[in-house]
């Protein structure tokens, strides 16, 4: 990682960075090609060992909205128990899951902008857990730092390894870790723009298998101004959590962990070092579902909750006509104005707020949501079946929001360079930021509260990079203007192979220790994470 002030002076250099961004990209591509073997595709696909259902037969589930246990004192309080259940995901097949409150996805929390929420999580799973509200402007003590563990009953903190490496668990401990037993309160001020967030496990070195087993749920923030726009709402607003999985012969979720107990040895087997892909596409926990819709506009709140799979989504009618995907929002809320797409790329952890108009589709016909990056069964995502003609009083305003930040390059007090690439860590394969694997005891970036910075990032293969605490705007891709889907305020940016991207952000909100990392969850678990200290 390299930091410069606004005049371009180098303040410090860390090991592993040298030369121009182009040289870093070339070196990284070579290293990653050797590691991943398929450098243009991030991940290898698991094949299910049970019969898979035909597409578009299972109804789309809508995750339940969690009721608060208390609303006293201006704070909404919720309680969630993390526990194992067995559920039917594939028809007629029983699958063990790790869940929030017994469901996959976990229950949705709906909040009002500026009204604080406290969620008490109780860990009844067989391993420690951590909860991160992805996209939340959250004080550090509730952000879900990977070593701030909630231990199951009976675990001994003193014997718990932390900061361990990829093989023998013999590594440094994190002196700042805050560890609790059985329960922990996470408090979210939610003083931020209305948007779709999601919560998921963030335990160090085991995020990928924990999410894969079911630890993910949605959190919506709303406010009066957004509700006054006249956008589709009620039953015509659909949350869509898209995730891929694979199933073993006994119905369990297949995953290539080195240690299936997720206790002593993190990581995955060699073919899956670049990421784990499944051959079943789930939406809200159902395989290739179908949803009955009116001939009207629908608001789709789309989350890519896959570990490593990228999608290019398109909505196609039975007669081959593509419908417009009108983007109205990004990770961190509404755009200034709508952007129309025919194909919408979405990387792991990205969210898009999209409107699709079914009014021109004949009653009884179907619209398929397809993935242009998929093949075979993974090309299908879900379908909508138009059931009736209706009167639709929703609208898409030309101006959606006027509160987007207007940061300029001249506002930046420093520029930082980062490389995201494959490399060696602890004698094995890993994924590195600036040539270094994650170390919870090391501060990688120190930023002052309120400072505006420009970050320049370069990738070897696909890396969806997520910043905790703050949103950012995309300034450029490889020296060219941002792509249409880069509009708005984001917290996750998809870096493509060999690409350099510039983003700009302001580090506001709270002081403390945060993270930035790749949200290919296997990359994250194998070292591609760094500390961000706000002072």
């Amino acid at each position: 990682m390299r930091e410069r002030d606004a005049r371009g002076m180098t303040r410090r250099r860390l090991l592993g960075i040298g030369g121009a961004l182009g040289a870093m990209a070339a070196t990284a591509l070579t290293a990653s090609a050797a590691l991943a073997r398929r450098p243009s595709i991030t991940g290898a696909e698991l094949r299910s060992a049970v019969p898979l259902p035909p597409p578009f037969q299972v109804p789309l589930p809508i995750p339940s909205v969690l009721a608060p246990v208390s609303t006293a004192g201006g704070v909404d309080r919720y309680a969630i128990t993390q526990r194992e259940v067995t559920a039917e995901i594939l028809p007629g097949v029983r699958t063990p899951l790790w869940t929030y409150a017994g469901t996959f996805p976990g229950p949705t929390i709906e909040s009002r902008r500026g009204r604080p929420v406290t969620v008490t999580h109780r860990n009844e799973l067989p391993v420690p857990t951590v909860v991160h509200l992805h996209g939340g402007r959250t004080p550090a003590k509730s952000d879900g730092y990977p070593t701030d563990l909630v231990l199951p009953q009976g675990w001994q903190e003193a014997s718990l390894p932390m900061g361990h490496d990829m093989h023998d668990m013999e590594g440094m401990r994190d002196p700042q870790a805050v560890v609790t037993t059985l329960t922990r309160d996470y408090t979210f001020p939610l003083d931020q723009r209305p948007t779709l967030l999601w919560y998921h496990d963030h335990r160090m070195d085991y995020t990928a298998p924990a999410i894969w087993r079911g630890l993910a749920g949605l959190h919506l923030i709303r406010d009066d101004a957004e509700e006054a726009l006249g956008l589709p709402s009620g039953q015509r607003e659909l949350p869509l959590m898209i995730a891929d999985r694979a199933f073993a012969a006994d119905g369990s979720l297949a995953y290539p962990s080195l240690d299936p107990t997720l206790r002593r040895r993190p990581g995955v087997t060699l073919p899956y070092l670049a990421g784990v892909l499944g051959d079943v596409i789930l939406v809200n926990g159902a395989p290739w579902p179908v949803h009955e819709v009116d001939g009207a506009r629908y608001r789709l709140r789309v989350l890519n909750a896959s570990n490593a799979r990228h999608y290019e989504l398109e909505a196609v009618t039975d007669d081959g006509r593509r419908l417009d995907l009108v983007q109205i929002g990004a990770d961190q809320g509404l755009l200034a104005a709508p952007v129309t797409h025919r194909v919408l790329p979405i990387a792991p952890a990205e969210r898009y707020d999209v409107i699709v108009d079914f009014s021109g589709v004949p009653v009884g016909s179907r619209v398929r949501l397809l993935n242009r990056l998929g093949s075979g069964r993974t090309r299908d995502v879900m379908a909508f079946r138009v059931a009736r003609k209706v009167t639709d009083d929703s609208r898409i305003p030309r101006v959606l929001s006027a509160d987007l930040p207007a940061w300029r390059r001249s506002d930046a007090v420093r520029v930082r360079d980062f490389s995201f690439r494959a490399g060696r860590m602890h004698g094995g394969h890993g994924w590195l930021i600036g040539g270094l694997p994650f170390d919870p005891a090391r501060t990688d970036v120190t930023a002052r509260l309120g400072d505006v910075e420009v970050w320049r990032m370069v990738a070897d293969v696909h890396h969806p990079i997520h910043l905790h605490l703050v949103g950012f705007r995309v300034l450029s891709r490889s020296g060219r203007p941002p792509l249409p889907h880069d509009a708005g305020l984001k917290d996750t940016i998809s870096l493509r192979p060999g690409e350099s991207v510039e983003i700009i952000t302001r580090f506001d909100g709270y002081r403390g220790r945060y993270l930035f990392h790749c949200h290919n969850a296997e990359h994250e678990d194998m070292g591609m994470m760094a500390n961000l200290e706000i002072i």
Side-chain angles (χ1 to χ4, degrees), residues 177-216:
V178 178
V179 178
T180 60
T181 298
L182 197 58
T183 65
R184 185 182 182 101
D185 288 349
Y186 294 87
T187 296
F188 309 117
L190 300 177
D191 185 17
Q192 61 186 102
R193 307 176 76 236
T195 192
L196 173 65
L197 311 177
W198 66 301
Y199 60 100
H200 61 77
D201 192 73
H202 214 299
R203 175 186 169 206
M204 181 172 164
D205 295 346
Y206 295 97
T207 294
I211 293 176
W212 189 271
R213 293 187 187 194
L215 291 180

Side-chain angles (χ1 to χ4, degrees), residues 150-405:
V150 182
L151 307 182
Q153 196 72 52
W155 277 67
Q156 298 297 317
E157 179 183 347
S159 64
L160 184 73
M162 293 186 187
H164 45 265
D165 67 28
M166 293 297 297
H167 298 286
D168 57 13
M169 303 284 283
E170 299 295 333
M172 75 223 25
R173 295 174 60 83
D174 178 10
Q176 298 184 59
V178 178
V179 178
T180 60
T181 298
L182 197 58
T183 65
R184 185 182 182 101
D185 288 349
Y186 294 87
T187 296
F188 309 117
L190 300 177
D191 185 17
Q192 61 186 102
R193 307 176 76 236
T195 192
L196 173 65
L197 311 177
W198 66 301
Y199 60 100
H200 61 77
D201 192 73
H202 214 299
R203 175 186 169 206
M204 181 172 164
D205 295 346
Y206 295 97
T207 294
I211 293 176
W212 189 271
R213 293 187 187 194
L215 291 180
L218 303 176
H219 190 136
L220 277 162
I221 306 173
R222 304 190 184 278
D223 74 359
D224 294 343
E226 181 180 291
E227 290 174 346
L229 292 175
L231 300 168
S233 61
Q235 293 186 343
R236 295 179 190 163
E237 180 185 14
L238 298 176
L240 302 178
M241 178 189 285
I242 303 174
D244 58 338
R245 297 291 187 269
F247 294 81
D250 63 358
S252 64
L253 291 170
Y255 188 84
S257 292
L258 294 175
D259 172 14
T261 70
L262 308 190
R263 288 171 175 258
R264 301 303 305 173
R265 190 182 183 191
V268 293
T269 56
L270 184 64
Y272 302 95
L273 294 176
V276 178
L277 309 178
D279 63 348
V280 178
I281 305 299
L282 305 177
V283 183
N284 296 348
W288 301 288
V290 62
H291 188 67
E292 185 178 285
V293 296
D294 299 327
R297 296 186 188 94
Y298 275 72
R299 183 179 185 182
L300 309 182
R301 313 294 293 263
V302 184
L303 160 67
N304 180 356
S306 300
N307 280 25
R309 185 179 291 278
H310 292 243
Y311 300 81
E312 286 186 358
L313 300 177
E314 60 179 352
V316 181
T317 65
D318 280 338
D319 60 3
R321 180 166 55 94
R322 283 196 297 186
L323 301 185
D324 286 343
L325 303 173
V326 182
Q327 183 189 352
I328 60 170
D331 300 331
Q332 289 285 309
L334 291 173
L335 309 183
V339 177
T340 298
H341 308 274
R342 286 300 183 93
V343 176
L344 184 62
I346 181 168
E350 285 189 305
R351 287 93 67 211
Y352 285 102
D353 197 346
V354 175
I355 291 181
V356 177
D357 189 349
F358 297 106
S359 63
V361 179
V363 170
S365 62
R366 191 177 58 177
V367 175
R368 292 175 298 153
L369 190 64
L370 302 178
N371 172 28
R372 285 162 50 104
L373 297 180
S375 61
R377 299 296 302 273
T378 63
R379 184 170 175 79
D380 293 324
V381 177
M382 67 169 295
F384 303 92
R385 190 174 299 280
V386 179
R388 64 194 69 83
K389 293 290 186 182
V390 297
T391 301
D392 183 7
D393 59 0
S394 70
R395 63 193 188 97
I396 307 175
R398 291 183 179 179
V399 176
L400 295 165
S401 177
D403 69 347
L404 283 163

Side-chain angles (χ1 to χ4, degrees), residues 4 7 95 218 229 234 259 264 328 350 355 383 420 431 448 473 479-480 482-483 486 525:
R4 298 191 183 104
R7 297 162 296 183
T95 299
L218 303 176
L229 292 175
D259 172 14
R264 301 303 305 173
I328 60 170
E350 285 189 305
I355 291 181
F420 297 83
W431 296 92
R448 291 192 174 276
R473 285 179 35 238
R480 294 183 291 275
L483 296 170
D486 291 326
D525 283 350

Side-chain angles (χ1 to χ4, degrees), residues 71-95:
T71 58
V75 177
D76 294 332
R77 300 181 184 276
Y78 296 86
I80 292 177
T81 297
Q82 304 169 10
R83 57 190 176 93
E84 294 183 274
V85 302
T86 299
E88 185 175 296
I89 295 178
L90 302 179
V93 177
R94 305 295 292 175
T95 299

Side-chain angles (χ1 to χ4, degrees), residues 100 109 111 117 119 121 130-139 142-145 186-192 195-202 217-221 332 351 466-470 491 514 519:
Y100 294 118
I109 296 176
S111 304
V117 161
V119 185
H121 277 268
V130 178
V131 180
H132 170 55
L133 180 60
H134 183 116
R137 286 169 51 88
T138 304
S142 290
D143 190 55
Y145 192 82
Y186 294 87
T187 296
F188 309 117
L190 300 177
D191 185 17
Q192 61 186 102
T195 192
L196 173 65
L197 311 177
W198 66 301
Y199 60 100
H200 61 77
D201 192 73
H202 214 299
L218 303 176
H219 190 136
L220 277 162
I221 306 173
Q332 289 285 309
R351 287 93 67 211
H466 170 50
L467 273 64
H468 285 218
L469 181 64
V470 295
D491 57 50
Y514 294 90
H519 222 291

